[in-house]
Amino acid sequence: MLNKNIYLILIISCVFGISFWIGFNVNLLPAEASINAPIYDELFKILFVIGLIIFIGMTLAVIYSLFKFKRRKDEIGDGIALEGNLSLEIIWTLIPSIIVLIIGIYSYNIYDRMGGMKELNHSHEMMSSNNEKIWAGISQSSNNDIANNNLSVEVSAMQFAFLFNYPKGEFISGELHVPVNNKVSMRMESKDVIHAFWVPEFRIKQDIIPGQPTILNFTPTKIGKYPIICAELCGPYHGGMRASIIVEDESDYKDWFNKNKKTEVDL
Amino acid sequence: MTISIDRQKDNHQRLQPNGWLRYFSFSLDHKVIGIQYMVCGFLFYLIGGTLASAIRIELASPMSDFLPRDVYNQFLTLHGTIMIFLWIVPVVNGAFGNYLIPFYVGARDMAFPRLNAVAFWLIPPSGLMLIASYFVEGAAQSGWTAYPPLSITTPQSGQIIWIISVLLLGGSSIFGGINFIATIIKLRRPGLKLMQLPMYCWAMLGTSLLVVLSTPVLAGTLILLSFDIVAHTGFFNPVLGGNVVVYQHLFWFYSHPAVYIMVLPAFGLVSEILPVHSRKPLFGYTTMVYSIMGIVVLGLVVWAHHMFTSGTPPWMRLFFTIATSFIAVPTGIKFFNWVATLWGGKISINSAMLFSCGFIINFVFGGITGVALAQVPFDIHVHDTYFVVAHFHYIVYGGTVFIIFSSIYHWFPKVTGKMLGEKLGIIHFAITFIGFNLCFAPQHWLGLNGMPRRVAEYDPQFQFVNQISSIGALLMAISTIPFLVNIFLSVRNGKDSGDNPWNALTPEWLTSSPPPVENWEGDAPLVVEPYGYGDSFSQKNKKI
Ligand code: HEM
Ligand SMILES: [Cu+2]
Ligand SMILES: [Cu+2]
């Protein structure tokens, strides 16, 4: 009996060990390029580890039963007449409930850190007096240390392109240029069907809906060029509906802006 | 309950053709209808599978080079619609439900045999109509979700035919649901209590409640959508002041319960199969019943987890995260109970058992990714990507389709009196299991790393992983060959199974195989311990 328990403990610790090792060493995610991304990846790792423990545990239990309790050729008769075990059943109701509860609270915390529970405000001069109802996206807290400056962009999507309007410079661009470590606040609206704005490296996505503006805020942290991908089926060329976001340092961004601006503003 | 058997025989002989012709007739016999559902569903499965193969061929290369782009979208729409509405739902509900439920409650037929036949006969024409729409102006191309405004602006004939077809299939499903509820509640043999019913009855009761509560909402939604398309009303058309997000709420109010309509019956079926082949009672009958009902109730209040990026207010995102995560609890209970059913048994490792165990493993995986997807911050990155495609195929294929095959191996002797070949069955299982995992496991990675779903083209760096997935799909296609050969050989000259080859105790086995038209010669047996396996039980199960 004692022997059995030792084996059990050994196996359970192996499952935990393997799961933690895989969870923290196997990277399944693309590069991290916004302040959302490391927060997301933390959540991912935790869920991955918990998931692996449960999956490996259940799979082992099934495979073990198939070998251990296999009926031998000449064997007759039945298994044990065990119809249930209330305390076991209570245990495996309570433990998953607790796990799920903890995951829920934790992911609420993650979501809050991503800015999901913050009041949305699209700080935009031209529409500050406008009280239109705007639906959520992710809003980064504006008191964030890194994100001091605010860049406002108006995104419009249509079959099969994104257009980025920089109201300050009164110009429209097909590429989204943003300065690194600045909070970007986008107001998005679709001209025809539903599209979505997805940047995998930023771990953010928001649908772009006709007749219903949505807001998405983010803060890029890594210089580079990343794909903007439409994630909502929008017609035959949906798979080709791409744009690029170019995260550059402050001065490059200023150069680009000044080259394109239509009005005399200075950055 | 004193129906004269001889008169019934007469009736049947007068009303229905004999032999194989009765499968093409408006038969009122629940067993014939069950087989009609099964065969019809399987034919549509082959069509849906062909479409899937075309999709995977297209995706073997990054460019859109195999199918024209609009045809690709039509194929993926047809694939989803056919697999859901013409294969999974009719088979796990209609086929097994019709065949088994009357046996389980000790009745000679369903409560409303004519309604039952109507429900089946709605399916072939709507299915054919749906497929025919491809040859008119092209089929619908807005996905099985048919989100407006895309569904309003794509070619109209295809979308309208899609709507009519789904409405008819929904009608069929509602008729079936009403029939199951009535049969289980009202047609039970005297002396048989609800808590003595085999678990599949409970699963079908829960499923049918979901069908009856939620399918009408889908019907209403699609009718409004069709008005928007043909009469230019503005319910969901933003140009006319409509609201596209409302459509999504209404659609998912049906379609999340629909995923349980696809999987609860499979939960029921596996609860029948495992005890028989491991010679042990079903572990925790009562908690199983409660967890089914828990899933039914929770399943009705989680729909917006499909809309986390649609622009829903934060409190709503939070509520649906928590409600969805909690579904994992009753679902988990069922899985622990199944493993506990295996534990300490005398397990026969045969095709039915292997497919059932494959189901447990695959579904656990899909359930875990499901709980992850339920977390808003997690979902925001992977929503509408291949991660979601992988999640629901783990559930729908790795779960439900595995159970359909398991059930076919288990009940084939009941229906035909012949055994299916074990060697071919095990080959079938091995190829399916490997092919399935090869096809869908890599798709998680694709989604996480930037491949959206429903695309005909993708970035070249995803090519290798997509090709692995396509090879998996090829294996899945190949795996149907040993299965079909097995069926063919067995029907031609299979080994006689006898009446009860598994020594099972549930009532459908306590009669001849195949059963007589009136199900039992004489009165229906009273089975109060459908899972009375185990050595100390042998005398408990009295037949009256
Ligand atoms: C453990 C329980 C489950 C949880 C927590 C869960 C959670 C989810 C979530 C959150 C999504 C939305 C993902 C997204 O679009 O971003 C989803 C999608 C989906 N799930 Fe599940 N799920 C579970 C079980 C099931 C079951 C049992 C089925 C079907 C038999 C199923 C079928 C689907 C389907 C078909 C979709 C995709 C629908 C679409 O967008 O086309 N899931 N699931
Ligand atoms: Cu798109
Ligand atoms: Cu759902």
Side-chain angles (χ1 to χ4, degrees):
Chain A
M1 200 60 221
L2 187 71
N3 241 341
K4 251 190 182 160
N5 283 342
I6 289 175
Y7 278 126
L8 198 63
I9 291 168
L10 212 69
I11 289 169
I12 291 177
S13 19
C14 272
V15 171
F16 272 69
I18 292 171
S19 305
F20 271 93
W21 190 87
I22 297 179
F24 284 93
N25 285 292
V26 177
N27 180 26
L28 294 175
L29 289 158
E32 298 176 339
S34 77
I35 60 175
N36 266 358
I39 308 176
Y40 181 93
D41 294 6
E42 184 191 316
L43 172 69
F44 182 87
K45 278 201 183 95
I46 302 287
L47 292 178
F48 193 29
V49 171
I50 298 176
L52 276 174
I53 293 172
I54 297 170
F55 177 68
I56 298 176
M58 286 295 273
T59 307
L60 282 182
V62 170
I63 293 174
Y64 176 80
S65 326
L66 285 186
F67 279 98
K68 170 84 188 189
F69 304 114
K70 186 175 162 186
R71 167 188 295 278
R72 270 168 288 283
K73 273 254 159 52
D74 46 348
E75 216 174 359
I76 40 166
D78 282 2
I80 41 174
L82 177 65
E83 284 190 305
N85 179 333
L86 197 60
S87 44
L88 262 182
E89 287 164 62
I90 290 175
I91 289 177
W92 59 54
T93 309
L94 280 184
I95 292 183
S97 307
I98 294 168
I99 295 178
V100 160
L101 202 66
I102 292 173
I103 291 179
I105 292 169
Y106 176 61
S107 83
Y108 169 83
N109 170 266
I110 293 278
Y111 191 47
D112 195 31
R113 280 157 64 194
M114 287 181 174
M117 301 308 293
K118 295 267 159 40
E119 200 59 42
L120 276 175
N121 60 340
H122 181 68
S123 47
H124 186 304
E125 301 83 338
M126 282 153 75
M127 28 170 291
S128 53
S129 60
N130 197 340
N131 281 338
E132 70 186 323
K133 192 180 78 192
I134 288 189
W135 283 10
I138 279 195
S139 143
Q140 224 101 74
S141 61
S142 41
N143 52 16
N144 193 292
D145 312 334
I146 332 173
N148 36 20
N149 259 335
N150 257 10
L151 166 65
S152 292
V153 182
E154 300 200 337
V155 181
S156 51
M158 65 216 65
Q159 285 170 328
F160 298 91
F162 298 96
L163 287 181
F164 304 99
N165 178 9
Y166 288 74
K168 224 180 192 170
E170 285 183 5
F171 67 91
I172 292 179
S173 161
E175 276 181 344
L176 180 59
H177 283 249
V178 293
V180 69
N181 290 337
N182 274 249
K183 180 179 162 191
V184 181
S185 172
M186 301 192 308
R187 179 182 183 279
M188 309 196 286
E189 194 160 359
S190 167
K191 294 217 158 38
D192 39 47
V193 301
I194 306 175
H195 303 276
F197 179 101
W198 179 33
V199 181
E201 284 79 5
F202 292 7
R203 317 281 193 271
I204 49 166
K205 183 181 292 112
Q206 175 59 46
D207 285 3
I208 310 179
I209 301 170
Q212 175 64 72
T214 47
I215 291 214
L216 184 63
N217 297 340
F218 60 87
T219 306
T221 53
K222 209 168 128 191
I223 290 174
K225 183 173 176 179
Y226 308 101
I228 295 169
I229 300 168
C230 174
E232 181 69 50
L233 179 63
C234 58
Y237 288 85
H238 165 55
M241 184 167 166
R242 295 299 187 89
S244 300
I245 176 164
I246 289 136
V247 182
E248 43 202 2
D249 68 32
E250 201 83 38
S251 62
D252 287 349
Y253 171 73
K254 270 186 189 145
D255 290 347
W256 176 83
F257 184 91
N258 290 330
K259 215 166 62 207
N260 283 286
K261 68 180 177 187
K262 295 273 161 25
T263 43
E264 282 314 310
V265 282
D266 279 324
L267 268 189
Chain B
M1 267 293 135
T2 47
I3 305 166
S4 149
I5 292 165
D6 286 334
R7 258 217 5 251
Q8 268 224 344
K9 253 185 192 157
D10 271 7
N11 263 341
H12 274 284
Q13 267 149 19
R14 250 188 304 118
L15 281 172
Q16 291 165 11
N18 277 320
W20 58 270
L21 258 183
R22 67 176 187 269
Y23 294 108
F24 294 89
S25 73
F26 192 79
S27 173
L28 304 183
D29 181 347
H30 71 99
K31 298 182 290 301
V32 173
I33 296 178
I35 291 163
Q36 288 174 325
Y37 267 110
M38 183 72 232
V39 173
C40 172
F42 194 81
L43 292 176
F44 282 116
Y45 172 62
L46 293 180
I47 297 173
T50 310
L51 294 167
S53 309
I55 291 173
R56 279 317 320 169
I57 293 173
E58 171 68 74
L59 292 176
S61 72
M63 284 86 58
S64 166
D65 46 13
F66 177 64
L67 296 168
R69 289 162 199 275
D70 58 332
V71 174
Y72 181 84
N73 286 357
Q74 293 171 29
F75 274 22
L76 73 85
T77 305
L78 284 179
H79 164 74
T81 313
I82 288 174
M83 289 303 196
I84 292 172
F85 293 108
L86 290 158
W87 158 240
I88 306 257
V89 173
V91 169
V92 281
N93 291 274
F96 295 109
N98 274 300
Y99 202 95
L100 296 173
I101 295 288
F103 280 110
Y104 284 174
V105 299
R108 299 198 190 276
D109 207 325
M110 297 284 286
F112 313 113
R114 276 179 188 77
L115 187 66
N116 204 14
V118 171
F120 168 72
W121 281 107
L122 280 172
I123 291 178
S126 4
L128 292 178
M129 189 167 76
L130 181 71
I131 291 161
S133 72
Y134 173 75
F135 300 98
V136 185
E137 253 191 298
Q141 41 180 297
S142 52
W144 82 282
T145 47
Y147 277 10
L150 186 64
S151 49
I152 301 177
T153 53
T154 44
Q156 291 190 355
S157 70
Q159 198 65 50
I160 286 294
I161 296 176
W162 181 89
I163 291 176
I164 296 171
S165 166
V166 173
L167 283 176
L168 292 175
L169 293 168
S172 156
S173 171
I174 295 174
F175 295 160
I178 293 171
N179 221 337
F180 289 128
I181 296 177
T183 308
I184 295 168
I185 302 289
K186 281 296 178 196
L187 241 53
R188 258 171 301 129
R189 179 198 191 291
L192 186 61
K193 299 198 187 65
L194 275 175
M195 289 307 271
Q196 295 165 342
L197 288 173
M199 195 53 61
Y200 183 59
C201 293
W202 283 103
M204 284 308 294
L205 193 60
T207 308
S208 303
L209 286 172
L210 284 177
V211 167
V212 170
L213 287 173
S214 64
T215 318
V217 177
L218 176 74
T221 315
L222 293 184
I223 290 170
L224 294 184
L225 182 65
S226 71
F227 288 166
D228 275 10
I229 295 173
V230 292
H232 307 288
T233 51
F235 295 107
F236 308 125
N237 191 345
V239 179
L240 302 172
N243 188 324
V244 297
V245 180
V246 170
Y247 173 89
Q248 300 178 9
H249 278 295
L250 294 169
F251 179 83
W252 288 113
F253 184 80
Y254 163 75
S255 290
H256 182 82
V259 309
Y260 286 99
I261 293 167
M262 293 188 265
V263 86
L264 275 180
F267 286 180
L269 293 169
V270 73
S271 305
E272 304 305 332
I273 295 167
L274 290 179
V276 174
H277 295 283
S278 51
R279 312 304 305 166
K280 264 192 69 201
L282 182 67
F283 192 91
Y285 181 97
T286 319
T287 38
M288 293 295 240
V289 171
Y290 286 130
S291 56
I292 287 176
M293 290 308 156
I295 291 174
V296 169
V297 173
L298 278 176
L300 284 169
V301 293
V302 299
W303 72 89
H305 63 218
H306 297 275
M307 303 167 54
F308 285 150
T309 70
S310 300
T312 36
W315 68 265
M316 210 193 255
R317 295 177 168 197
L318 209 62
F319 171 78
F320 283 103
T321 287
I322 292 179
T324 307
S325 308
F326 267 97
I327 284 205
V329 176
T331 314
I333 295 173
K334 301 188 74 70
F335 281 81
F336 294 127
N337 282 358
W338 287 322
V339 175
T341 304
L342 295 175
W343 202 270
K346 291 245 165 69
I347 303 175
S348 312
I349 305 207
N350 51 31
S351 320
M353 193 68 192
L354 285 173
F355 269 105
S356 284
C357 291
F359 153 86
I360 296 181
I361 294 172
N362 294 334
F363 192 101
V364 167
F365 200 94
I368 289 168
T369 54
V371 174
L373 285 171
Q375 315 305 318
V376 197
F378 184 95
D379 183 63
I380 282 177
H381 174 48
V382 290
H383 170 69
D384 262 329
T385 70
Y386 259 87
F387 192 93
V388 174
V389 176
H391 156 70
F392 68 74
H393 281 91
Y394 262 82
I395 302 280
V396 182
Y397 196 102
T400 306
V401 177
F402 269 59
I403 284 304
I404 292 175
F405 283 127
S406 178
S407 304
I408 292 175
Y409 286 100
H410 182 75
W411 277 291
F412 190 84
K414 178 76 253 167
V415 176
T416 61
K418 305 266 178 65
M419 296 301 280
L420 278 173
E422 270 307 317
K423 272 212 185 84
L424 280 171
I426 288 171
I427 294 175
H428 175 211
F429 167 76
I431 305 180
T432 312
F433 190 78
I434 295 168
F436 164 77
N437 280 292
L438 209 57
C439 182
F440 293 109
Q443 293 181 359
H444 294 102
W445 183 86
L446 288 173
L448 287 168
N449 282 276
M451 181 165 164
R453 68 191 280 205
R454 293 172 168 167
V455 293
E457 58 206 293
Y458 54 84
D459 294 350
Q461 80 259 28
F462 296 137
Q463 179 168 19
F464 176 66
V465 177
N466 268 297
Q467 282 172 344
I468 294 181
S469 179
S470 291
I471 291 171
L474 179 69
L475 283 179
M476 287 163 79
I478 292 174
S479 76
T480 41
I481 296 172
F483 174 68
L484 288 174
V485 170
N486 202 348
I487 300 273
F488 179 78
L489 289 181
S490 166
V491 169
R492 271 319 258 311
N493 46 9
K495 200 170 83 199
D496 260 356
S497 66
D499 286 345
N500 191 354
W502 315 123
N503 282 320
L505 294 178
T506 39
E508 83 274 27
W509 296 102
L510 307 180
T511 178
S512 61
S513 295
V517 174
E518 58 283 359
N519 291 353
W520 292 277
E521 312 282 353
D523 282 344
L526 175 63
V527 178
V528 297
E529 286 277 5
Y531 304 113
Y533 304 102
D535 290 330
S536 63
F537 268 99
S538 30
Q539 290 313 309
K540 253 182 151 179
N541 226 8
K542 292 196 192 74
K543 286 169 219 165
I544 299 171

